[in-house]
Every structure is written in structure tokens, then in C-alpha cells.
Amino acid sequence: MSHQGTVVPPHPWVPHRAMIRRFCAEIPDVSTLDIRLFDDAERSRFDCQPGQFNMLYVPGVGEAAISVSGPGLEPGDWAHTIRRAGAVTRELTRLPVGATIGLRGPYGRGWPCAAAMERDVLIIAGGIGLAPLRPLVRYFLSNPSAARCVRLLYGSRSPDHLLFAEEIDRWRALGLDVDITVDRASLGWQGNVGVVPMLVDRLHPLDPTRTEVYLCGPEVMMRYTTRALLQRGVEASHIWLSVERNMQCAVGLCGHCQLGPAFVCRDGPVFSYEHVAPLLYTEDL
Amino acid sequence: MTNRVTTTQETKATTDAVRLLPRDRLADLFHALTARGYQVIGPRVDQGAIIYDQLTSVEELPRGWTDEQGPGYYRLKRREDDDAFGYVVGPHSWKRYLFPPLVTLARIERDGEDWHIESQPESPVKRAFLGVRACELAAIAVQDRVFLSQAYVDPIYQARRESVCLIAANCTQAAATCFCTSMDTGPRCRSGFDLAITEIAAGYIVEVGSELGASLAADLPLRPASPEDQADGEAARARAVAQIERTLDTHDIRALLMNNLDHPQWDDVGQRCLSCTNCTMVCPTCFCCSVTEVGDLTEQHIERQRQWDSCFHPDFSYINGGQVRGQVRSRYRQWLTHKLATWIDQFDVSGCVGCGRCITWCPVGIDLTEEVAAIRGNPS
Ligand SMILES: Cc1cc2nc3c(=O)[nH]c(=O)nc-3n(C[C@H](O)[C@H](O)[C@H](O)COP(=O)(O)OP(=O)(O)OC[C@H]3O[C@@H](n4cnc5c(N)ncnc54)[C@H](O)[C@@H]3O)c2cc1C
Ligand code: SF4
Ligand code: SF4
Ligand code: FES
């Protein structure tokens, strides 16, 4: 059957109904929600690549861009690890299991996994930045031939703020090299104390020509970390980082997320450092 | 048989010939539009300016009025004749009908703990825009790229755009703020219209730009334009070209601006700019918008509303408890570099069509062509 007239496309601004299926308190102020789309057809089409994000919605409050932190426990569920920052994230993490929220996505370009082929991979996270990198760590663990070797550098505020601590132990058991540092130690902490760039300075061995870096964290942390990486000779074109900007539409239509020529929602959030550095480090761009 | 061939040729000949709608028959065009179900949107005088609004008849057109413009300056003045399209452009643009300043994206009804969301496509209204300038045709083409050419299409814009009829009006004069010739967008309407008219003493020289335009023309009491009429039309259009004084040197402008992001001129303009958002509100291509939740008192019924936003609002760039562009200088730089440079990266076209509105409606008379010239004259 052919139809007359124009086909109305699905409205890119309108969230789909979804359900909070599981709630897991991670560290102070951070929780992981498993979320499932109600609509069967939408759900079967829904697939998120590492580094992509969704817009989560609470009626009466608003939307927030939240990265997918992996598949959920049940097939069809997707995990989102959320730090309480303001109105939307507070409400999202306060709703009970079973509550209906809104979701649209997935959006953006995620981590370029294929760039790791035959290379020494460094995954570097600061704070909540580990959430969007978790699917990437899991990908490398389940695809050992996707890279020559993989190492995780992770920094958090304090030992109490180490996200996914149990899962990191499991990753170690599976053979992942993990270096952790905290800004401030607490009683009983025997690991590194200091900022993430310090872990980069201390890396040994490091073959800069063979290194591929995936980086996510607060913008200052990424700034000093990239500086340390460049000092060690890592090439700018082999550093990938995820950028945050205000987002309203997530589909290139509202203008909010612009960073020079880029729409972070459409062209990012993951960018090559080589391309984004001049923009990121122009004051207030 | 012979007859039919002759008839076809005659039709062809009349299509090619320059035709004129007599001055006192403009209402016929209005009626041809309303007869096809179009709501006519056109210019009329309101509170000392020529705005675009729904018209009920040609009587509402700004006959005998013109506008005088300069940096931070706009006044209506009486014309010596009673031309209906004898002004340039005002504070409105057609954008408000294709990309409305405020629109409801979705309605949410709470149902106990649960809720439902509904997003009805708008009931289609056919609108005819009467008196679209060349720079405005270009601005619509720019917004077509923004809203229709990316992976995600804006359905509100799309539905409105598809049902619009464009009756262009060639400029017969230019304002001191116009620089369409620099942007290669005018003042002559070249394409993208259904009908284009040029207003002369005898009436309206009519050009057909589409099948819809041809069918409208077929309903009008057109007569062949005499050689004098045609000469008048040429002269009227040439007058507009001759009056354009302002220029913007667009040579390699993308690189010029992006290589001068730390130029002292941004500090200079940052001192003058009030960050009032006027320039972005009047600009026919600016598309920035935000979404807000609007609930009734009981919060049972919530609407998600999209409204025009501006990169000059301090909170436009708010993240993580702060503003990326906290200073006016960086907000002006964002606006200008987006218009003239990064728009080209994003949409393969300049975001400026040279209409001059941002110059006229800036309360402190900031002129983007001068800001660019200052950077070009002294690049860092
Ligand atoms: C691509 C991307 C991925 C993200 N992934 C995660 C994640 O996995 N986990 C997580 O906890 N947070 C993530 N964030 C940050 C998260 O979007 C913000 O913390 C959130 O929008 C704050 O909203 P709020 O209403 O709770 O806070 P408020 O401070 O009340 O924010 C008000 C509004 O400002 C904007 N805003 C504020 N902060 C940000 C921000 N950092 N980024 C974008 N818009 C912002 C939003 O429009 C928000 O609705 C991500 C941001 C981006 C851009
Ligand atoms: S930037 Fe100014 S001159 Fe250019 S299209 Fe916008 S309002 Fe017109
Ligand atoms: S340039 Fe002029 S119109 Fe634009 S925000 Fe600044 S003061 Fe307002
Ligand atoms: S979030 Fe709207 S354009 Fe990127």
C-alpha cells in the first residue's frame, strides 16, 4: 500500500516512556539505574555503542544527557550511572524502581573501538568519567584481540569515591592492568595519592608511538592529563576524549552544545584530541 | 490538430513574455491565494514598524510607507507614492511562522504514579508569505539546511515549510544597513519562490517560479508588460542595487575569524555589547532554542515547550554549575563566528544573508560588518 502525502517522521524532541528496573547506589551521590523502554518495537531497535548517551526525562523537571554505562542486568535494559548534580539528576536518582521516566537516544559518536587494533590501549578516567568508559573496558575484556594490551588509569576524590570498585577487582582478576589514585587518602588507604596526570608521568613502560588513549573526566583533569600524555610523546591524533556541553535537543537542532564548528551532540561527544584541542583550549569558546 | 499546436505555442509564448498585474488588481492575487485555502501573511504597520502578520485584505499593506534604517535606528516615513512594497525589512522575519518563537512539543498527563505523553502533529495551516525579499528567500534556504538536511529533521518546521507559498517582492530600494550584495543573496529574487513581483507605477511585474506560481498566475488578470513597464522594472531593481553602500568582505572569512579568536577586538565589542539578545531575535537564520517544562498548578498536566533562545543569554552555555561563556566578549564572539565562519563548516553555507536587521535593532548600534573589518584590518 502506498500512502499519499508526507510521512511524519518520529519527533526527535519527544521522549519515549521507559521504566526504572533496577537501582544501585554506587558511591556518595552516584547511582546506577537500569532503564527499559516500554515499547517493544522501540526496544528491539535500541542499541547503544560505548560512549553514546541518552536524554533521560522526568516530567515536570526536565531532561539530562546521561551516558550509557553498559547493558543492564536483564536483556533490553540499559545501565545509566548518574551523579546528583541538580534538579533532573536529583529526581532521577530519587525515583523508585518501577517508576516511569522518559528516554530518547542513543545519540552521538562514541569511542572509536577499531582505532585500538594492534595498539597499546590506555583508558583514563576521572571521577564519574569512568561510567561512559565502562562499556569500553568490558569490550576490550571480551575481545582480547581488539588491542595489543589494555591498561586502566583511574583517579577519584577519595577512596570512598571509587566508582565500580568491585567490578574493578573483577577486571583485575581477568588480567586488566589497573592503576588507581585518589586526591585525598583516608585511613587504611595504601594506594597512590595524587592526580591522574601523575599516573601518566609514572607509566612504565610506555611506547608512545603505539599508544591509543581513551579519556573522560572533568575538563581540567583532561587538560592536565593530555598535557602529560603529549609530554610522554603520545600523538594527539591517538587521544580520544569525551566533551560535555549544555544540551537541549541532542540532535543538532538547538545550538546549545556548540564548540567551534562542532555540535558536541552530533559530532561528539567523543572527539580526537588533535581536532578538538585548539577549540577546547581557547578561553570560553 | 493544427489548432492544438498553435494553442500550446501561444501558451508558451505568454509564459515567456513579461507580464504585469495592474496596480488596482493586487486584490486578485490575495483572492487567488485565499481561494486556495492560504492564510496570507504579509507586511503591515504596527507600533511604528512594518511587521509580518496575518492579513485580511490588501488594504492592510503598508501603502505609502517606507522605512529609514541605520545602526540602532529605525523610523517609518511617508513615501511620495502609494507603493505597497516600498520598504526594506523590519524587525520580523518569516522565521516566526516556520520556526515559531514558542511551540508545544509534547503534552504529558499524569495518571496516578504513571504518566502518558502525547505529541500531536500540528493541524496543517497553509500560509502564503506575501512580500518575501531576496535575502529572506536566502534565509529560508539557510534554515532549510538546518532543520531539514541533518540526520534528524524538525517535524514542526518541515510541516510548516511544505505547506507554504512564497510570493517574493523584489527590492526597489535598499536600507543603509543592507549588504546582501556582499553575501550574494540579493537584492534580486532569483529562485526559491512561487511568484515574484516587482512593484512599478503601472502595477506588478510578475515572474513565475514554480507550478503553483504558474497556476496562481493563470488566475490573475495579467497583461503583457509594455517596453516602458519593463524598463521601469529594471530601473526599480537597479535602484536597490545602487543604494547598497554597506559591504562585508567575505574573502576567506572562515579562516580570518577562526584564526583570530583571541583578537583584542572581541574585548572591544564586549565592552559595548549589552548582551540584550536583540540581534539574535531579529536574525532570520538564528535557530537556537531551549525546552522548558510548563506545568499547571496541580502538575497533572505538563507541557514541554520549545522557545527561541539566544547565545547571548548567560545561561545558554551553563554546565556543571558555571557558564562556559561567562563574559560578553565570548558570547559576541560565539555569535559572530557562528554566523560567518562555523556555520559554513556545519551547513556549507554562511549563516548571514546580509539583511542588516542585527545592525538596525542593536540598541547600541553594533555593526557586524565593522567588527569584521576591524579584525581584517589588524589581524593578530
Ligand atoms: C554527552 C554527555 C554525557 C553525560 N553523561 C553523564 C553521565 O553518564 N552521568 C552523569 O551523571 N552525568 C552525565 N552528564 C552530565 C549531565 O548531563 C549533567 O550533570 C546534567 O545535565 C545536570 O542536570 P541537572 O538538571 O541535574 O542539573 P542542573 O545544574 O540543575 O542543570 C540544569 C540544566 O543545565 C544543563 N547542564 C548542566 N550541567 C550539564 C552538563 N554537565 N552537561 C550537559 N548539560 C548540563 C542541562 O540542560 C540541565 O538540565 C553528561 C553530559 C553530557 C553532555
Ligand atoms: S547576522 Fe544580521 S545581517 Fe546577517 S542575516 Fe542575521 S540579522 Fe541579517
Ligand atoms: S550585538 Fe547589539 S543587539 Fe546583539 S546582543 Fe549585543 S547589544 Fe544586543
Ligand atoms: S544539543 Fe542541541 S544542537 Fe547539540
Side-chain angles (χ1 to χ4, degrees), chain B residues 179 279 282-285 335 339 351-359 368:
Chain B
F179 59 102
C279 49
V282 295
C283 180
T285 66
W335 180 67
K339 281 284 117 163
C352 176
V353 298
C355 73
R357 283 181 177 88
C358 55
I359 306 171
L368 76 170

Side-chain angles (χ1 to χ4, degrees), chain B residues 26 33 60 161 188 209 220 230 289 360:
Chain B
L26 189 58
L33 292 167
E60 289 181 278
R161 178 72 177 90
R188 180 85 149 101
L220 299 178
Q230 295 189 40
C289 53
T360 298

Side-chain angles (χ1 to χ4, degrees), chain A residues 124-125 153-156 180-184 192-202 220-221 224-225 228:
Chain A
I124 310 182
L153 309 185
Y154 178 39
S156 82
I180 290 180
T181 184
V182 296
D183 295 346
R184 272 173 288 104
N192 298 304
V193 178
V195 292
V196 172
M198 177 200 78
L199 294 181
V200 174
D201 294 339
R202 288 188 192 162
V220 263
M221 170 267 184
Y224 288 107
T225 305

Side-chain angles (χ1 to χ4, degrees), chain B residues 269 272-280 282 310 312 328 332 335 357-359 361-367:
Chain B
V269 69
R272 287 173 280 135
C273 173
L274 311 174
S275 207
C276 70
T277 79
N278 270 14
C279 49
T280 51
V282 295
S310 169
F312 282 98
V328 177
Y332 188 91
W335 180 67
R357 283 181 177 88
C358 55
I359 306 171
W361 297 97
C362 175
V364 291
I366 293 171
D367 174 350

Side-chain angles (χ1 to χ4, degrees), chain B residues 36-59:
Chain B
R36 282 171 174 74
Y38 285 104
Q39 190 184 82
V40 180
I41 314 288
R44 70 175 181 79
V45 173
D46 183 53
Q47 297 178 43
I50 290 169
I51 61 153
Y52 298 148
D53 199 359
Q54 186 176 348
L55 302 182
T56 52
S57 83
V58 289
E59 300 307 316

